[in-house]
């Protein structure tokens, strides 16, 4: 699908972004291994999250979808063997988190994904799971499909090489089946939805700075989860309202977990006008409305411990930087190379087509802001975050921009273009 977007004068209105993708995935998985029923309200109905549902169904879990609610009839900690290969589609979250659950089962499973997911590194979960006692075979010791033979697991002390919520959550889920305590330490704190939600389900996890201490439990308990709006989806409208003159957008009921709000910190540091109002706590997660108004952005340096807090938002931050005054340097973001696309190379090549002064570095990019970009034909490379980020760049570019392979937004935000058109 090709989408054409023309320059807009301003952006005004109220936005309800879809449910948080990370929380939607976790609610289905945790509910599946809990005792009793779990109701997930406001579930994100996207391709990635349906991959999680389909995998859990193949493992014997009864799951019913009614409008925006999902009803999960928990199997308890031990699932049923699947006669079919489990297909995670494009979802790294599905593959990596589910691998932690499969490591503690009483049977062997094979899990694979689409062409993109089969190119993403899995050694980062294979190593700790193997240390805990799981038997795993993979293509070239690093890539899916993975065959995981469940086993009696033991606790480990593990330092991750990268700050990754997927890696941490995988080990945490495996720790539920371990015979003793597991400790996980990250270079920097990654998003902590698993810690908060597993404790809400009755788990026993302690968090200290960038460490998690995982105590095995006999069972989790089903509960009701209200899924807040995804800040990663809100980020596109935050940047759009910031760069277009005379704009003001209210984004309702967004998750503002401090491990996810790097985008707000960066925009405000760039001189943005982002305000958080109507704060509350839902299922251990902080939720609020976000008001974003036009501003005059300036270039800054972005790196270090903030990177895990905004890794998914870096493509749209690059768009903000392309229209800012001065130079923005993004560093310490090697993880962008192993996402749905190499997001460093993809964003640099496509923004250059629009006239941006941008270059790739080994671990990020350097962007010298300009007052104007120009419409062009660009390609998402089937990366949903690239497609949406280029769409925001097009809103301020002279002329019109054509985005190829735009249907990939269905991975996380199926209604993105209709919501954008309403504003």
């Amino acid at each position: 699908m090709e989408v054409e977007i023309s320059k807009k004068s301003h952006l005004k209105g109220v936005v309800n972004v879809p449910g948080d993708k990370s929380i939607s995935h976790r609610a289905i998985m945790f509910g599946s291994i809990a005792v009793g029923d779990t109701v997930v309200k406001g579930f994100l109905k996207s391709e990635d999250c349906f991959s999680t549902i389909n995998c859990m169904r193949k493992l014997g879990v009864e799951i019913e979808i009614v409008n925006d609610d999902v009803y999960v009839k928990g199997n308890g900690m031990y699932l049923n063997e699947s006669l079919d290969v489990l297909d995670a589609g494009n979802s790294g979250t599905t593959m990596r988190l589910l691998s932690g659950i499969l490591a503690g089962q009483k049977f062997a499973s094979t899990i694979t994904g689409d062409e993109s997911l089969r190119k993403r590194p899995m050694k980062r979960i294979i190593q700790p799971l193997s240390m805990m006692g799981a038997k795993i075979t993979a293509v070239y010791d690093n890539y899916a499909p993975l065959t995981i033979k469940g086993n009696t697991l033991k606790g480990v002390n593990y330092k991750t090489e990268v700050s990754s919520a997927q890696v941490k959550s995988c080990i945490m889920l495996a720790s539920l089946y371990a015979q003793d305590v597991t400790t996980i330490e990250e270079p920097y704190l990654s998003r902590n939805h698993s810690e908060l939600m597993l404790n809400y389900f009755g788990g026993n996890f302690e968090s200290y700075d960038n460490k998690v201490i995982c105590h095995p439990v006999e069972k989790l308990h089903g509960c009701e989860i209200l899924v807040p709006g995804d800040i990663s989806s809100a980020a596109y409208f935050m940047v759009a309202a910031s760069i277009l003159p005379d704009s003001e957008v209210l984004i309702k009921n967004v998750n503002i977990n401090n491990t996810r709000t790097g985008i707000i910190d960066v925009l405000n540091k760039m001189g943005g006008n982002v305000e958080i109002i109507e704060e509350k706590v839902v299922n251990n997660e902080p939720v609020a409305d976000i008001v974003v108004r036009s501003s005059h952005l300036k270039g800054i340096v972005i790196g270090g411990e903030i990177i895990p807090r905004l890794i998914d938002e870096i493509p749209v931050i690059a768009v903000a930087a392309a229209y800012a005054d001065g130079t923005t340097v993004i560093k310490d973001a090697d993880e962008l190379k192993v996402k749905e696309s190499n997001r460093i190379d993809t964003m640099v090549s496509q923004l250059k087509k629009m006239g941006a002064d941008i270059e790739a570095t080994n671990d990020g990019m350097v962007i010298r802001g300009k007052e104007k970009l120009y419409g062009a034909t660009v390609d998402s490379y089937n990366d949903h975050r690239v497609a949406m980020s280029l769409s925001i760049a097009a809103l301020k570019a002279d002329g019109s921009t054509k985005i190829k392979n735009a249907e990939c937004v269905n991975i996380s935000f199926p209604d993105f273009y209709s919501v954008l058109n309403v504003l």
Side-chain angles (χ1 to χ4, degrees), residues 34 47 136 153 343 356:
E47 290 179 3
I136 305 176
L153 303 181
R343 287 179 178 162

Side-chain angles (χ1 to χ4, degrees), residues 60-88:
V61 183
E62 293 182 29
I63 301 175
E64 183 182 5
I65 303 170
V66 181
N67 298 322
D68 291 332
D69 299 341
V70 181
Y71 297 84
V72 182
K73 192 173 184 61
N75 272 41
M77 299 284 280
Y78 293 96
L79 303 171
N80 299 329
E81 184 175 1
S82 172
L83 299 178
D84 298 324
V85 172
L86 303 171
D87 186 359

Side-chain angles (χ1 to χ4, degrees), residues 32-77:
S32 294
I33 59 172
V35 173
D37 296 338
T38 291
V39 182
V40 186
K41 296 191 171 183
F43 175 79
L44 170 62
K45 293 194 288 188
S46 72
E47 290 179 3
D48 268 13
C49 295
F50 284 132
S51 291
T52 290
I53 286 180
N54 292 335
C55 285
M56 301 318 296
R57 282 174 168 166
K58 284 188 174 182
L59 291 163
V61 183
E62 293 182 29
I63 301 175
E64 183 182 5
I65 303 170
V66 181
N67 298 322
D68 291 332
D69 299 341
V70 181
Y71 297 84
V72 182
K73 192 173 184 61
N75 272 41
M77 299 284 280

Side-chain angles (χ1 to χ4, degrees), residues 7 59 69 77 183 228 244 267 294 370 382:
K7 184 176 182 178
L59 291 163
D69 299 341
M77 299 284 280
T183 301
L244 288 173
L267 285 177
S294 301
K370 290 187 170 184
N382 294 310

Side-chain angles (χ1 to χ4, degrees), residues 320-341:
Y323 287 112
D325 281 345
T327 300
T328 296
V329 177
I330 299 171
K331 59 183 183 178
D332 305 318
D334 305 72
E335 193 68 9
L336 290 175
K337 296 177 181 178
V338 291
K339 293 291 187 179
E340 283 84 340
S341 69

Side-chain angles (χ1 to χ4, degrees), residues 25 30-31 92 207 218 236 364 381 391 411:
H25 278 300
F30 302 172
S207 301
E218 289 187 8
Y236 305 104
Y381 287 86
S391 301
I411 292 293

Side-chain angles (χ1 to χ4, degrees), residues 164-185:
S164 164
Q166 292 180 5
V167 174
K168 177 175 63 176
S169 299
C170 169
I171 302 169
M172 289 174 63
L173 285 165
S175 80
L176 291 170
Y177 301 89
Q179 294 179 319
D180 42 18
V181 174
T182 293
T183 301
I184 307 164
E185 183 175 352

Side-chain angles (χ1 to χ4, degrees), residues 4 15 27 35 37 52 96 98 177 211 241 255 272 359 383 400:
E4 185 169 356
V15 178
V35 173
D37 296 338
T52 290
R96 291 185 176 130
L98 185 52
Y177 301 89
K211 283 186 180 180
N255 180 272
E359 61 186 87
D383 189 321
S400 65

